[in-house]
Amino acid sequence: MKNESRPAEAGFGRLGLCSGCSYYPDYLNSHRCTPGDACIRAHSGRQIDRFLRTNPELAQNYLNDIFWERRAIAARYAAVDHIFSLKSDADEVVRRVVATRLPVDELIGMVRDPDREVRLSVAARLPEPLLVQLINDPDYLIRATVARRLPHGQLSKLAKDPEREVRKVVASRLPPFALHMLAADPEPEVRAIVAERALPGLAVALLQDEEWWVRLAAVSNAPLEFLPPLVNDPEVEVREAAQARLAEPNML
């Protein structure tokens, strides 16, 4: 005779997690949970997530759970107005979730969070007028994110940033008329970006740069009358670029 156990019995016997669970057996029998796959009592982020994805209305019940991962997953599914208190949760993973979900006008309170990933989320979402709050962040990745989003009129505040990658972002976004602020940058990678975007007068100055790839970038923006000396440049790519530009009028 075939053994036909009921779903609730099979689930209980399989894991034992159903014992004492307030959702047993109704949720199991209605397929709102599955032992070993979707279970709020499991110490498995995957199982907790699947349970709350199916039952998001229960998420707010676990926002103060003792298990950090259960709180973090609950914060993904709970209504936003229930997660404000988790801005100062003891676990950074919980706060990372909160930083991705809070209304932008609530993010200012997290700009000094000790966790870099939290501040990265804040820097990516904070309203532009408030980004100056992160301009002196100790982590260069946050400052680089700020540099990508700052209004042009405030970019000069990062032109002297100690990190090359931040200044590269600034060089790629500054209005061309303001690029002189980075024309003498100690890093050739920054100067090359400046040369690629420079107005003619600044491009002429960068034709004399000690690094050949900066001179190469400047060739495309410098007036033709300043290019003849570059046909004798020690680097073949610079010579060829100068020769190609000087030949352009003859190709018309």
Side-chain angles (χ1 to χ4, degrees):
M1 179 175 165
K2 187 176 180 181
N3 184 0
E4 297 182 350
S5 299
R6 295 195 306 273
E9 293 172 349
F12 180 81
R14 195 168 138 204
L15 284 186
L17 287 176
C18 300
S19 177
C21 178
S22 60
Y23 307 121
Y24 176 81
D26 294 345
Y27 278 55
L28 184 61
N29 289 335
S30 61
H31 306 291
R32 297 178 68 180
C33 68
T34 305
D37 183 66
C39 177
I40 193 63
R41 303 186 76 189
H43 278 247
S44 160
R46 177 184 60 82
Q47 292 190 51
I48 295 167
D49 185 86
R50 288 183 177 178
F51 179 87
L52 290 178
R53 193 186 316 163
T54 302
N55 307 285
E57 73 283 357
L58 299 176
Q60 70 182 72
N61 298 338
Y62 298 95
L63 294 175
N64 296 309
D65 195 88
I66 192 171
F67 182 32
W68 66 266
E69 193 165 15
R70 200 172 283 117
R71 295 198 307 277
I73 296 168
R76 295 180 195 164
Y77 295 102
V80 171
D81 57 355
H82 288 117
I83 67 172
F84 288 177
S85 64
L86 296 179
K87 289 191 292 185
S88 56
D89 191 274
D91 193 274
E92 67 274 11
V93 178
V94 177
R95 300 196 307 275
R96 290 172 190 175
V97 175
V98 173
T100 65
R101 295 200 62 214
L102 281 182
V104 292
D105 57 356
E106 292 285 336
L107 287 172
I108 193 66
M110 302 186 81
V111 296
R112 299 289 178 259
D113 192 279
D115 183 70
R116 179 178 74 171
E117 297 300 322
V118 171
R119 299 198 310 279
L120 274 174
S121 292
V122 172
R125 300 185 61 228
L126 202 66
E128 288 184 2
L130 299 177
L131 281 171
V132 291
Q133 300 286 333
L134 285 163
I135 217 164
N136 294 313
D137 192 278
D139 194 293
Y140 85 91
L141 286 176
I142 281 85
R143 300 196 307 276
T145 301
V146 170
R148 292 186 188 99
R149 299 190 58 230
L150 267 181
H152 288 156
Q154 296 182 358
L155 273 171
S156 61
K157 296 175 181 177
L158 286 168
K160 299 299 182 184
D161 192 275
E163 173 57 48
R164 174 189 62 191
E165 296 303 316
V166 176
R167 300 196 307 278
K168 284 169 65 176
V169 175
V170 175
S172 70
R173 293 196 62 230
L174 273 175
F177 67 81
L179 285 170
H180 63 275
M181 289 188 288
L182 289 166
D185 192 274
E187 293 289 342
E189 293 178 49
V190 177
R191 300 197 305 274
I193 296 173
V194 171
E196 289 171 357
R197 305 182 60 236
L199 294 174
L202 183 56
V204 169
L206 291 168
L207 290 175
Q208 308 300 318
D209 196 276
E210 61 184 13
E211 295 291 346
W212 70 268
W213 65 86
V214 178
R215 300 195 301 275
L216 177 63
V219 165
S220 61
N221 290 324
L224 292 176
E225 60 265 30
F226 293 93
L227 296 183
L230 276 296
V231 300
N232 296 313
D233 193 274
E235 291 292 333
V236 62
E237 291 189 45
V238 179
R239 295 197 302 269
E240 290 176 349
Q243 291 164 357
R245 277 212 64 207
L246 289 168
E248 286 175 3
N250 298 326
M251 296 172 62
L252 295 177

